[in-house]
């Protein structure tokens, strides 16, 4: 993008075309879900893209009607569990990544590769043992019962992202702080943490998405509204009658749960300004 | 403010690299000392050991009358300006300067007073609310200095603070640093690889080579009496000329003829077959502008001048000549190590601006033999300075420290091969030799 000025007209056109294709490809399912959420049950099977009648019944159903209990409690669970998991993971990853970026200690590579190995481990294969374990020790269907496995998903990626950010912060800033009279902790808190904020926010967003989008743990390790998150709860929606598909309600719920994510990104986007460390060094 | 004493300081890095070797140095209270040497010679390492960012492998470091080897940087109360400034990008200029005071929990009122005083001194007043990213190189440099002077530190340490600035700004800041140091009178250790900065700023200059101190002396002393080839080649621009010569009896056979050095310059050359003669460009002159009174102190020889650069106030003439292969290889090696202007086997000769010697024609040049140094090509030792030292030892004995802080360089690699009667006294005393060299210099 930086050398846009040098791009020839033809190249530019191709960039636009490619961009639009990708945008349409990515947004089409979203648009379909939005459209579905405004359809009447009878309209669902017509195969038409736009609803014949735009109705808000589905939203009414999940926010005030029959599905209200199921949906709102799961929304609360999702928000709470994801936020706590994100918070813990960001704090832990911050210290781990700092150590990895700054200190030379035996086993550094081991930690990084282990983190990577954990991240690529298929979730589905540990869910059954975990289910049994959780039932035995009483974590089944509780918030911690989900937060702990979520950490195993979010921590590796958080450590990796954050150590990349820490590596960009000039070592000398910290040394300057120490010469200026700071303890190691003060140097970390007053210099490194403020500079690492973009990294912290980026990591937080990624972590939050991972926790927010999880379905397998959510459906396997919960049984009631005590801890069931939204993606799992969607599977328990029922239609108005036994013979009616709950598709409309599910679509409406999907739209509703996307909104906080969108808001989150828009909010944090402004904090993820790169180049905050610019001006620290060199002339 | 305090004196800094380094005693047998060594640094071995984790990978086994011996970066600083047996450094002994006494820095007096209020003194401005320069550490100079080519890149990679261990200057920064030494500075970082003083400030506490690097562990001292062995030896003792004292600040004031306290041993500080084991102290953390924050307990040493030194302030440092980093090569790349290391400003805090998230803080304004004001808060950057105030940072050390905030850490010390200074009351707001005093913080404000001191920051304003520093910013007055450095002319940063209109930038106090700006962020470092929006400042120019010179302004950032001043902010870094502001942060260093804002608290009452025991000493200032600078690590190549001007190397990121352009030539003009570098000149300005150099004067500014010098003025600031004189005004505040605080002990200062300043690292640079630029010999011009070293010569213009310091009370005393420490020349380092591969972690070994070569010479500790005033700029004038370094220029006039370099202890070895390395120092001679490093200090001065254009650099000193080196001419190989074969010793036969008491005369020297050079590519420019048979020369006979005055006894005060030659010392005892028996035992040497080949020596290197060193002469600064200004020791040469166009014979036609040399007055009769001094002509007898030098030799006249014919040479073909290759190129002349006329600078207005003086002119440089380039005279190529042939040197034996091994000498040429040695000079090339020295040049590479010094990382400096070419020390090719050519003479660079500074001529009076009024001289009308033409380019490309043979000319008669005069060399002042009283300003020639004789070097041992193997060890690199300056035999002339050696001879003067033996001669001047009686004078030095009377005032052991010459009124200056004692500054004994350790016997370095280059000096080890030539055992000496007083190995501790390797660094020539400025005072003892200034008097000695005084009558040797041309008026
Ligand atoms: N952390 C380190 N580990 C190993 N060797 C180092 C380290 N830092 C510097 N060195 C080596 O020590 C020597 C001196 O470095 P330095 O003091 O930075 O030189 P300079 O005189 O250019 O400031 C160099 O050869 C460098 O390669
Ligand atoms: Mg350096």
């Amino acid at each position: 993008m930086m050398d846009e000025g040098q791009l020839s007209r033809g190249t530019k056109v191709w960039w636009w075309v490619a961009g639009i294709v990708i945008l349409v490809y990515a947004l089409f399912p979203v648009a379909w879900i939005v459209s579905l959420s405004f359809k009447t049950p009878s309209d669902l099977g017509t195969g038409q893209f736009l609803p014949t009648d735009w109705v808000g019944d589905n939203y009414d159903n999940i926010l005030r009607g029959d599905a209200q209990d199921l949906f709102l409690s799961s929304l609360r669970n999702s928000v709470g569990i994801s936020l706590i998991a994100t918070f813990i993971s960001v704090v832990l990853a911050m210290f781990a990544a700092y150590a990895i970026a700054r200190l030379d200690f035996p086993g550094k590579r081991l930690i990084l590769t282990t983190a990577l190995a954990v991240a690529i481990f298929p979730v589905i294969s540990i869910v059954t043992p975990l289910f049994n374990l959780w039932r035995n020790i009483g974590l089944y269907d509780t918030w911690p019962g989900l937060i702990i496995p979520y950490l195993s998903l979010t921590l590796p990626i958080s450590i990796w992202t954050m150590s990349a950010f820490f590596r960009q912060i000039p070592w000398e800033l910290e040394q300057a702080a120490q010469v200026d009279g700071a303890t190691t902790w003060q140097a970390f808190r007053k210099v490194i943490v403020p500079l690492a904020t973009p990294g912290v926010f980026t990591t937080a967003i990624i972590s939050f998405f991972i926790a927010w989008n999880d379905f397998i743990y959510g459906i396997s390790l919960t049984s009631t509204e005590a801890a069931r998150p939204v993606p799992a709860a969607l599977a328990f929606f029922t239609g108005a009658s036994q013979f009616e598909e709950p598709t409309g309600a599910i679509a409406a719920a999907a739209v509703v749960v996307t909104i906080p994510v969108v808001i989150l990104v828009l909010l944090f986007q402004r904090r993820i300004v790169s180049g905050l460390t610019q001006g620290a060094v060199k002339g | 403010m305090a004196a800094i004493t380094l005693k047998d300081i060594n640094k071995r890095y984790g990978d086994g690299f011996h970066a600083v070797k047996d450094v002994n140095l006494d820095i007096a209270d209020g003194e401005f000392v320069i550490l100079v040497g080519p890149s990679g010679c261990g200057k920064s390492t030494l500075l970082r050991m003083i400030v506490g960012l690097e562990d001292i492998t062995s030896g003792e470091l004292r600040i004031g009358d306290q041993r500080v080897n084991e102290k953390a940087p924050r307990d040493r109360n030194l302030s440092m300006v980093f090569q790349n400034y290391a400003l805090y990008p998230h803080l304004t200029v004001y808060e950057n300067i105030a940072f050390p005071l905030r850490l010390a929990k200074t009351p707001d009122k005093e913080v404000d007073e001191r920051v304003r005083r520093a910013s007055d001194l450095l002319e940063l007043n209109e930038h106090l609310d700006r962020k470092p990213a929006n400042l120019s190189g010179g302004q950032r440099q001043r902010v870094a200095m502001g942060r260093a002077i804002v608290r009452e530190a025991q000493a200032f340490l600078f690590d190549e603070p001007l190397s990121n600035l352009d030539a003009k700004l570098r000149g300005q800041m150099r004067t500014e640093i010098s003025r600031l140091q004189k005004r505040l009178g605080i002990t200062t250790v300043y690292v640079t690889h630029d010999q011009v900065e070293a010569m213009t700023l310091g009370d005393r200059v420490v020349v380092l080579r591969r972690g070994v101190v070569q010479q500790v002396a005033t700029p004038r002393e370094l220029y006039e009496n370099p202890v070895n080839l390395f120092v001679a080649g490093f200090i001065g621009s254009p650099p000193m000329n080196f001419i190989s010569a074969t010793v036969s009896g008491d005369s020297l056979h050079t590519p420019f003829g048979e020369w006979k050095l005055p006894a005060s310059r030659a010392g005892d050359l028996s035992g040497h077959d080949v020596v290197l003669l060193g002469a600064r460009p200004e020791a040469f002159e166009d014979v036609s502008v040399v007055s009769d009174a001094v002509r007898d102190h030098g030799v006249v020889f014919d040479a073909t001048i290759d190129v002349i650069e006329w600078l207005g106030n003086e002119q440089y003439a380039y005279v190529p000549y042939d040197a034996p292969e091994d000498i040429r290889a040695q000079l090339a090696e020295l040049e590479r190590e010094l990382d400096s202007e070419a020390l090719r086997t050519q003479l660079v000769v500074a001529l009076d601006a009024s001289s009308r010697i033409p380019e490309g024609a043979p000319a008669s040049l005069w060399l002042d033999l009283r300003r020639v140094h004789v070097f041992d090509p193997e060890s690199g030792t300056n035999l002339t300075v050696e001879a003067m030292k033996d001669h001047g030892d009686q004078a030095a004995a009377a005032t052991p420290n010459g009124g200056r802080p004692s500054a004994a360089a350790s016997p370095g690699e280059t000096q080890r091969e030539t055992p000496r009667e007083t190995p501790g006294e390797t660094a020539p005393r400025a005072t003892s030799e200034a008097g000695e060299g005084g009558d040797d210099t041309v008026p």
Side-chain angles (χ1 to χ4, degrees):
Chain A
M1 274 310 181
M2 264 171 50
D3 46 5
E4 204 172 37
Q6 278 106 25
L7 289 182
S8 72
R9 205 189 192 84
T11 330
K12 234 187 217 168
V13 169
W14 277 112
W15 274 109
W16 274 106
V17 171
I20 288 167
V21 167
I22 291 170
L23 219 59
V24 168
Y25 180 78
L27 286 183
F28 182 68
V30 179
W32 200 334
I33 288 176
V34 172
S35 140
L36 273 181
S37 71
F38 287 105
K39 284 180 177 176
T40 55
S42 57
D43 209 8
L44 285 175
T46 56
Q48 248 181 309
F49 181 69
L50 290 177
T52 7
D53 286 322
W54 292 79
V55 290
D57 290 0
N58 292 319
Y59 290 94
D60 203 52
N61 182 20
I62 58 164
L63 296 175
R64 278 185 290 165
D66 300 342
Q68 182 198 17
D69 287 347
L70 192 59
F71 181 67
L72 289 185
S73 67
S74 67
L75 196 60
R76 200 173 52 240
N77 289 337
S78 256
V79 170
I81 291 172
S82 300
L83 281 182
I84 294 174
T86 303
F87 178 77
I88 297 177
S89 133
V90 165
V91 171
L92 288 182
M94 195 154 72
F95 292 118
Y98 178 78
I100 284 165
R102 283 292 188 254
L103 310 176
D104 234 350
F105 56 91
K108 188 162 133 175
R109 295 200 69 81
L110 191 71
I111 290 183
L112 280 173
T113 35
T114 311
L116 204 60
V118 169
I120 59 174
F121 208 80
V123 164
I124 195 79
S125 62
I126 40 174
V127 111
T128 314
L130 212 55
F131 172 79
N132 286 323
L133 183 64
W134 267 202
R135 280 169 62 111
N136 286 333
I137 61 176
L139 281 175
Y140 183 70
D141 203 21
T142 61
W143 278 24
L146 279 183
I147 290 172
I148 294 169
Y150 285 176
L151 283 180
S152 77
L153 299 178
T154 55
L155 258 180
I157 188 100
S158 303
I159 291 175
W160 274 82
T161 342
M162 210 112 76
S163 57
F165 270 91
F166 277 134
R167 271 195 207 109
Q168 285 173 2
I169 300 175
W171 216 161
E172 275 175 341
L173 289 183
E174 224 177 326
Q175 299 182 335
Q178 286 180 17
V179 174
D180 283 343
T183 59
T184 313
W185 170 245
Q186 280 174 321
F188 181 70
R189 196 166 51 84
K190 297 196 174 198
V191 177
I192 301 304
V193 172
L195 292 178
T197 343
V200 171
F201 279 108
T202 311
T203 315
I205 288 184
I206 296 174
S207 292
F208 186 83
F209 285 176
I210 291 176
W212 183 259
N213 286 338
D214 167 75
F215 175 74
I216 296 179
Y217 285 130
I219 193 122
S220 319
L221 301 179
T222 60
S223 59
T224 66
E225 282 157 20
R228 185 183 291 139
V230 172
L234 293 185
F236 288 89
F237 278 14
T238 47
S241 75
Q242 212 185 338
F243 305 103
E244 216 168 79
E245 288 284 328
T247 316
I250 292 176
V255 171
V256 171
V257 300
T258 313
I259 291 170
V261 177
V262 172
I263 292 175
L264 209 67
V265 170
L266 290 181
L267 273 183
F268 284 171
Q269 198 182 29
R270 314 180 57 200
R271 310 298 301 258
I272 315 175
V273 275
S274 60
L276 193 68
T277 53
Q278 200 199 345
V281 296
K282 278 247 257 321
Chain B
M1 282 195 276
I4 300 174
T5 311
L6 286 78
K7 198 156 178 296
D8 298 323
I9 296 282
N10 276 282
K11 175 67 190 184
R12 237 179 236 287
Y13 277 110
D15 58 2
F17 186 77
H18 200 170
V20 169
K21 299 169 190 160
D22 290 322
V23 170
N24 285 288
L25 196 60
D26 276 312
I27 300 167
D29 192 1
E31 197 179 12
F32 198 149
V33 166
I34 310 276
L35 299 180
V36 71
S39 140
C41 71
K43 310 176 294 287
S44 298
T45 306
L46 195 52
L47 197 73
R48 292 163 60 80
M49 282 194 285
I50 296 177
V51 81
L53 293 172
E54 211 68 74
D55 288 335
I56 295 169
T57 309
S58 72
E60 191 180 62
L61 174 67
R62 304 181 77 86
I63 297 176
D65 44 15
Q66 268 190 320
R67 177 187 158 97
V68 297
N69 287 43
E70 290 76 23
K71 286 194 171 178
R74 66 170 184 286
D75 298 324
R76 299 192 187 187
N77 192 19
L78 303 172
S79 58
M80 174 154 170
V81 175
F82 288 77
Q83 179 167 6
N84 50 25
Y85 318 141
L87 301 178
Y88 310 119
H90 58 298
L91 301 177
T92 59
V93 168
Y94 184 100
E95 285 303 325
N96 259 286
I97 298 179
F99 194 79
L101 302 176
R102 301 261 188 239
L103 286 172
K105 306 246 181 315
T106 317
D108 280 352
K109 194 165 153 292
E110 197 186 335
V111 169
D112 195 60
E113 256 166 44
R114 294 226 229 154
V115 171
R116 305 255 168 223
R117 208 181 316 147
S119 78
D120 272 343
L121 208 58
L122 293 162
E123 292 169 22
L124 283 169
N125 283 333
E126 68 261 49
H127 306 299
L128 285 177
D129 295 327
R130 301 174 71 193
K131 291 272 177 75
N134 305 326
L135 301 180
S136 73
Q139 290 164 342
R140 285 182 204 177
Q141 217 280 327
R142 291 210 296 268
V143 176
M145 299 228 310
R147 192 174 62 188
I149 64 173
V150 77
R151 78 201 145 100
E152 276 141 16
Q154 307 248 50
F156 293 153
L157 307 174
F158 292 86
D159 192 353
E160 312 214 15
L162 306 183
S163 61
N164 283 326
L165 303 180
D166 59 50
K168 180 159 166 269
L169 209 50
R170 208 179 302 154
Q172 285 172 6
M173 288 306 297
R174 201 168 65 210
T175 340
E176 213 157 304
I177 289 179
S178 177
R179 194 175 299 141
L180 204 64
Q181 201 270 344
K182 289 208 174 66
R183 188 147 151 195
L184 302 171
I186 290 183
T187 316
T188 302
V189 184
Y190 185 107
V191 162
T192 179
H193 66 265
D194 178 10
Q195 55 106 8
V196 179
E197 270 170 41
M199 299 294 276
T200 49
L201 280 174
D203 294 331
R204 274 196 306 158
V205 179
V206 180
V207 184
L208 273 172
R209 175 202 196 188
R210 296 192 200 142
V212 180
V213 171
Q214 304 292 303
Q215 188 168 9
V216 185
T218 59
R220 179 178 292 270
E221 176 69 13
L222 280 186
Y223 190 81
E224 286 171 358
N225 294 313
V227 292
N228 57 31
L229 271 179
F230 180 85
V231 178
F234 189 72
I235 304 289
S237 171
M240 188 184 267
N241 296 297
F242 296 112
I243 306 160
S244 67
T246 341
V247 181
S248 58
D250 57 353
S251 73
L252 297 165
H253 181 74
T254 73
F256 302 101
E258 296 282 326
W259 294 350
K260 217 170 168 149
L261 289 186
S264 66
R265 302 308 289 178
D268 182 15
L269 293 184
S270 60
H272 294 278
D273 289 335
V274 180
V275 291
L276 271 180
L277 301 182
R280 300 248 175 232
E282 65 273 18
F284 295 88
E285 193 49 271
D286 175 0
V287 73
S288 62
V289 301
V290 178
S291 72
D292 291 339
V294 298
R295 186 171 302 189
D296 287 348
H297 292 299
V299 286
V300 176
F301 61 95
D302 290 330
T304 306
I305 288 174
D306 188 18
V307 177
I308 288 188
E309 290 170 1
W310 190 79
L311 300 172
N313 59 340
E314 62 183 345
Q315 49 187 335
Y316 291 120
Y318 294 85
V319 183
Y321 72 93
D322 284 332
E325 194 50 52
D326 52 336
I327 296 286
R328 194 179 317 182
Q330 200 193 357
L331 289 181
E333 165 71 28
L334 185 63
E335 175 192 335
R336 199 171 55 246
E337 196 184 337
L338 291 173
D339 188 24
S340 72
E341 291 159 75
L343 289 166
R344 287 175 40 200
T345 51
Q346 65 171 0
L347 299 182
V348 182
V349 174
L351 301 177
D352 195 276
S354 64
S355 159
R356 292 299 178 124
I357 290 185
E359 249 176 42
S364 275
L365 294 175
W366 175 80
L367 169 63
D368 187 347
L369 289 178
R370 297 168 306 173
R371 296 166 79 181
V372 169
H373 297 267
V374 184
F375 295 94
D376 178 351
E378 259 128 62
S379 67
T381 321
N382 187 339
L383 300 171
T384 308
V385 169
E386 288 281 277
M388 284 197 309
K389 188 175 310 148
D390 292 343
H391 190 82
D393 264 348
Q394 297 93 20
T399 48
N401 265 337
R404 300 196 63 85
S406 80
S410 62
E413 289 172 335
T414 51
Q415 295 152 351
R416 217 164 271 150
E417 285 125 3
T418 52
R420 208 171 289 131
E421 287 134 58
T422 52
E425 277 285 293
T426 44
R429 277 298 93 61
T431 38
S432 66
E433 266 149 54
E436 179 71 25
D439 40 22
D440 276 327
T441 23
V442 165

